[in-house]
Amino acid sequence: MRKAWIVASVAISSALAFVMLLVVGVYLVAGNLVSGVGGGAKSLAKGSVPAAYAATVQKWGNLCPAISPALLAAQLYQESGFNPRAQSHAAAQGIAQFIPGTWASHGIDGDGDGDRDVWDPKDAIPSAASYDCELASYVKKVGGNPTENMLAAYNAGAYAVIKYGGVPPYSETRNYVKRITTLAESFAAPVGRVDPSEQAAAAIEYAQKKLGTPYLWGGTGTAEQGGRFDCSGLTQAAYETVGIKLPRVANDQYNAGPHPSRDELLPGDLVFFSDDLTNSRAIRHVGIYVGGGYMIDAPRTGAVIRFDPIDTPDYFGATRVTEDGAKALPMTV
């Protein structure tokens, strides 16, 4: 096995110049391409919502035209990271983070079992969708984008949206609207080509320079750690060199952009692995795709940063990192 790996490594290293030329080509043309990911996508990306909640999000995300399953998923992820037991210091509760007063007036019995339980996702997720649609109805006569107006009403109140004839000029509200609409793209199944990342070449170049570095669990490449990394520490550092700040852990990095299919992968895409292929929150490993079915990754304790194949039974999917997508992510979920 060791001999076979050495031979494979030599072959991969020989082909790296070609791969880097491909990546540079991707980098140069990326700015000229038109995005294939648009608004209004009605299907969720594979595994982007935990399987236990996916059907509920898909159903209730189509409750009214102002929302979509992807948008509803983005809100839930932003609020709680899909944690049904989440509770904030402000007393917001459950997967949708309703405060008690809002739940009392807007919570619904989503599963028809005779009660309204803020801790039950089968009630809380439908209630979140219902609340969104109620807000949308308040501002339906306001000009502009109805989804953005709804999100602005969620953040700043319907009165402010009506007063300003659209998203009010509050930086917090405008940032919230952009964050949720951008984040929704990472929960939507792409409906067309997914743009290549302009930062791909530099991210791969950084990772390539780390080949042979010993793995360190929790490693982020600091001097105190001897410049060592774990898997998500390496991908975080690689993209940080081009000004893109990714979250620390792999399952949050999955939401840093849209998700190309296996046959659409380009160098620079992040590739993810999980023992549960129905739940992005269970992702446990990430690498940087370099082409030819291989990635650069920091695999495990006792190993070094190296080339590994991606076509394994635990391959979960990929993310094409975007600057806006990364900025939309909460750093802690």
Side-chain angles (χ1 to χ4, degrees):
M1 281 299 292
R2 184 165 181 248
K3 181 177 180 182
W5 172 249
I6 293 172
V7 171
S9 297
V10 170
I12 294 300
S13 298
S14 315
L16 188 58
F18 172 77
V19 170
M20 289 307 295
L21 283 174
L22 174 61
V23 175
V24 171
V26 166
Y27 178 86
L28 291 174
V29 304
N32 297 323
L33 296 180
V34 178
S35 175
V37 179
K42 296 299 182 183
S43 296
L44 296 168
K46 184 197 81 167
S48 59
V49 173
Y53 315 129
T56 305
V57 172
Q58 182 67 41
K59 173 184 175 181
W60 287 89
N62 286 297
L63 183 62
C64 68
I67 66 173
S68 70
L71 191 86
L72 180 58
Q75 289 180 294
L76 296 170
Y77 173 69
Q78 169 71 28
E79 294 292 343
S80 71
F82 300 107
N83 177 6
R85 306 309 300 174
Q87 185 163 7
S88 77
H89 296 300
Q93 300 173 332
I95 196 170
Q97 289 292 276
F98 277 96
I99 60 174
T102 305
W103 179 258
S105 56
H106 296 283
I108 67 172
D109 177 11
D111 57 3
D113 66 354
D115 71 351
R116 300 181 304 142
D117 184 357
V118 71
W119 301 107
D120 184 353
K122 292 180 180 179
D123 288 338
I125 294 172
S127 296
S130 176
Y131 185 46
D132 280 347
C133 292
E134 187 172 345
L135 290 171
S137 72
Y138 294 157
V139 297
K140 66 180 179 181
K141 294 183 179 179
V142 176
N145 184 293
T147 297
E148 293 180 357
N149 289 340
M150 178 275 292
L151 290 171
Y154 182 94
N155 180 265
Y159 173 77
V161 177
I162 295 169
K163 175 182 176 182
Y164 288 101
V167 179
Y170 310 149
S171 58
E172 178 187 338
T173 302
R174 291 190 171 182
N175 289 338
Y176 176 78
V177 171
K178 182 175 182 180
R179 184 164 63 250
I180 296 299
T181 53
T182 300
L183 190 56
E185 295 180 12
S186 79
F187 287 96
V191 293
R193 184 192 61 227
V194 179
D195 281 2
S197 167
E198 294 184 19
Q199 292 83 4
I204 290 178
E205 182 181 12
Y206 179 90
Q208 179 192 357
K209 290 178 180 177
K210 303 302 178 182
L211 289 168
T213 302
Y215 175 96
L216 176 67
W217 187 85
T220 57
T222 66
E224 294 79 9
Q225 297 168 334
R228 294 180 292 167
F229 299 90
D230 63 13
C231 65
S232 56
L234 176 64
T235 53
Q236 183 185 52
Y239 270 96
E240 193 165 14
T241 63
V242 292
I244 295 180
K245 177 65 174 177
L246 292 173
R248 177 64 186 91
V249 295
N251 60 6
D252 286 330
Q253 292 180 5
Y254 181 73
N255 294 110
H259 309 295
S261 63
R262 171 63 183 86
D263 60 1
E264 294 172 333
L265 287 181
L266 291 174
D269 291 343
L270 297 186
V271 284
F272 297 88
F273 303 83
S274 177
D275 295 323
D276 181 354
L277 301 184
T278 68
N279 181 5
S280 68
R281 305 307 296 157
I283 285 171
R284 56 168 174 72
H285 188 57
V286 60
I288 301 178
Y289 188 64
V290 296
Y294 280 82
M295 64 179 170
I296 296 175
D297 70 322
R300 63 178 181 276
T301 299
V304 299
I305 294 174
R306 66 191 191 190
F307 294 101
D308 272 323
I310 71 165
D311 291 316
T312 57
D314 58 346
Y315 176 74
F316 183 89
T319 295
R320 189 152 298 156
V321 175
T322 68
E323 187 171 359
D324 283 346
K327 285 180 179 178
L329 295 173
M331 287 298 111
T332 57
V333 179

